[in-house]
Each structure stands twice: as C-alpha cells, then as structure tokens.
C-alpha cells in the first residue's frame, strides 16, 4: 500500500500566504476594474488599493490581462455555483426561485464583480470573448435543457428558455450594476436587509407567476 504524507507545516503556511495574497489582490483589482474599466486600470493603482508593492502583483499575476480575466472568471464561477440548484430542483418554482435568491445575494455581496462583467460585455468582450463562446455558451445550453424539461412536464408555461434566462440575469444583476441609481431612488441609502428580502420576494412573484410556475 502506498504511503501518504501530509504537507509540511512550512508548505501549508506558504500555500495559505499565497491564497491570502491572491485574495487581497483580486479584491483590489475587482474594485479598480469596476471603477476604471480595463483600459483605465493600472497595476500600480491596483497595488496601491491592495496596499502591496507593485512587484508582488506581478509575482502572482504577471500581466494586467491575466489578473482581469481572473476577476471576470471569479464572478462567473460564483454565478455558476448559484445555478447548481437548477439541476437539483424538482421544478421551476424551487429551481428558479432559489436561483433568484442566490443571484440577488451575489449582486448584494459582489457588486463590483458584476460591474466588471457588465462593462466587459458592453464593450464587446474584447478580453473574454473566447470565454463567452465556450464556458458561457455551454452553461446556457445546459440550463435551457432543464427549462425545456420543465415545460415538457407541464410545470410552466411554454416560453423561450433563452429569453427567460436573459430576463433573470438582467433583473438580478440590475441591483449590482445600477446600485447607485437604486440607492439614489432609495433616499441615498443602500437597501437594508428588509428591503433586499422584499426585492427578492417581489421578483420571484412576478417571474414565477409570469411563467405559470405558481398561481
């Protein structure tokens, strides 16, 4: 039987330091890219926001494009995890309802990441077009199959799944991408816990009733 050896404390500590440094850099980059865009952001500015020497950024992320792609991929991976409920749910009420809840929480807690994604796509996806053509396309096709199954099982009104997905994305991500507008219309204050819960409840009611998933 082959022997297994645990990682040494030194190696574990080094790995943890690397993870902490990367998380710090990605958080700073997400903020800078959201505010300045890819073109306006610089590695020096990101380093300043992270409170690290610029050389540290280049050690973990040799180029601005590599760092940018990681920021975009991070928010997309978070969205993908939120969509896992589609495959596990019995029907659209449970699946789409839980997806709306999850996406709204992501818009609340990862607003900068959502803004980076929106800005990239609005500019024609010059950096991540390949990502849209592969990962996003495969994910979308998989969700379409689930929705089509629910339609075939007469669990919801026959509609084009693609347009339903577009509506779900637009509605939930609006709370991140247009957060300043929402705050302005809310008397200059961010939505509090009660208002977020009310927003989720209303969105679920409107969409689920609209597709015939609930009466």
């Amino acid at each position: 039987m082959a022997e297994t050896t645990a990682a040494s404390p030194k190696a574990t500590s080094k790995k943890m330091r690397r993870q902490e440094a990367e998380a710090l850099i990605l958080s700073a980059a997400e903020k800078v890219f959201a505010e300045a865009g890819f073109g306006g952001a610089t590695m020096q500015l990101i380093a300043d926001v992270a409170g690290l020497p610029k050389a540290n950024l280049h050690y973990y992320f040799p180029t601005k494009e590599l760092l940018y792609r990681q920021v975009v991929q991070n928010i997309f991976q978070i969205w993908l995890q939120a969509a896992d409920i589609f495959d596990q749910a019995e029907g659209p009420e449970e699946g789409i309802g839980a997806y709306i809840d999850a996406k709204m929480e992501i818009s609340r807690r990862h607003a900068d990441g959502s803004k980076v994604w929106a800005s990239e796509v609005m500019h024609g996806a010059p950096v991540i077009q390949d990502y849209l053509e592969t990962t996003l396309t495969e994910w979308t096709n998989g969700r379409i199959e689930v929705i089509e199954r629910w339609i075939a099982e007469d669990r919801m009104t026959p509609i084009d799944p693609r347009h339903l997905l577009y509506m779900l994305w637009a509605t939930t991500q609006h709370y991140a991408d247009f957060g300043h507008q929402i705050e302005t219309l809310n008397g200059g204050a961010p939505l509090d816990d009660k208002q977020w819960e009310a927003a989720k409840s209303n969105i679920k009611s409107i969409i689920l009733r609209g597709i015939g998933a609930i009466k």
Side-chain angles (χ1 to χ4, degrees):
M1 181 180 294
E3 293 184 0
T4 58
T5 57
S8 69
K10 184 177 180 180
T12 301
S13 178
K14 183 178 180 180
K15 181 178 180 181
M16 289 180 63
R17 288 198 302 271
R18 181 182 184 89
Q19 291 174 338
E20 290 171 357
E22 289 181 350
L24 179 62
I25 292 169
L26 288 169
S27 177
E30 188 176 83
K31 179 177 178 60
V32 173
F33 285 132
E35 294 178 353
F38 179 77
T42 66
M43 293 294 268
Q44 183 62 63
L45 180 56
I46 295 170
D48 291 343
V49 173
L52 296 171
K54 183 180 176 182
N56 285 37
L57 262 68
H58 286 290
Y59 175 78
Y60 293 106
F61 300 95
T63 67
K64 183 173 75 167
E65 179 172 329
L66 181 63
L67 177 54
Y68 180 81
R69 286 181 67 90
Q70 187 61 55
V71 168
V72 173
Q73 289 173 8
N74 278 1
I75 186 64
F76 188 63
Q77 288 301 316
I78 292 171
W79 284 335
L80 286 181
Q81 292 170 9
D84 285 346
I85 190 64
F86 268 83
D87 300 321
Q88 304 165 7
E90 180 180 348
E93 180 179 359
E94 300 83 5
I96 295 175
Y99 183 56
I100 291 171
D101 280 337
K103 286 288 268 80
M104 288 291 284
E105 280 302 306
I106 294 169
S107 286
R108 185 180 188 182
R109 304 181 188 283
H110 300 277
D112 285 339
S114 180
K115 291 173 185 175
V116 174
W117 179 278
S119 178
E120 168 72 10
V121 175
M122 287 171 64
H123 286 86
V127 178
I128 64 160
Q129 180 62 30
D130 61 322
Y131 201 71
L132 300 185
E133 293 174 354
T134 55
T135 307
L136 179 60
T137 298
E138 292 169 5
W139 179 90
T140 301
N141 290 339
R143 303 292 76 70
I144 286 174
E145 291 179 3
V146 174
I147 295 171
E148 287 178 336
R149 172 165 54 79
W150 288 337
I151 292 173
E153 294 171 350
D154 199 28
R155 293 177 178 270
M156 57 182 283
T157 303
I159 47 90
D160 186 328
R162 196 172 298 273
H163 294 299
L164 173 59
L165 289 172
Y166 296 160
M167 181 177 292
L168 291 170
W169 300 340
T171 302
T172 56
Q173 287 162 228
H174 174 90
Y175 287 81
D177 303 340
F178 289 85
H180 178 72
Q181 177 174 278
I182 289 175
E183 288 186 15
T184 299
L185 296 175
N186 194 45
L191 300 183
D192 58 27
D193 292 346
K194 184 176 180 180
Q195 289 172 314
W196 274 102
E197 290 304 314
K200 288 190 285 188
S201 178
N202 276 278
I203 291 170
K204 286 188 291 185
S205 178
I206 293 167
I207 291 179
L208 293 175
R209 291 180 190 279
I211 63 174
I214 61 175
K215 305 299 182 182

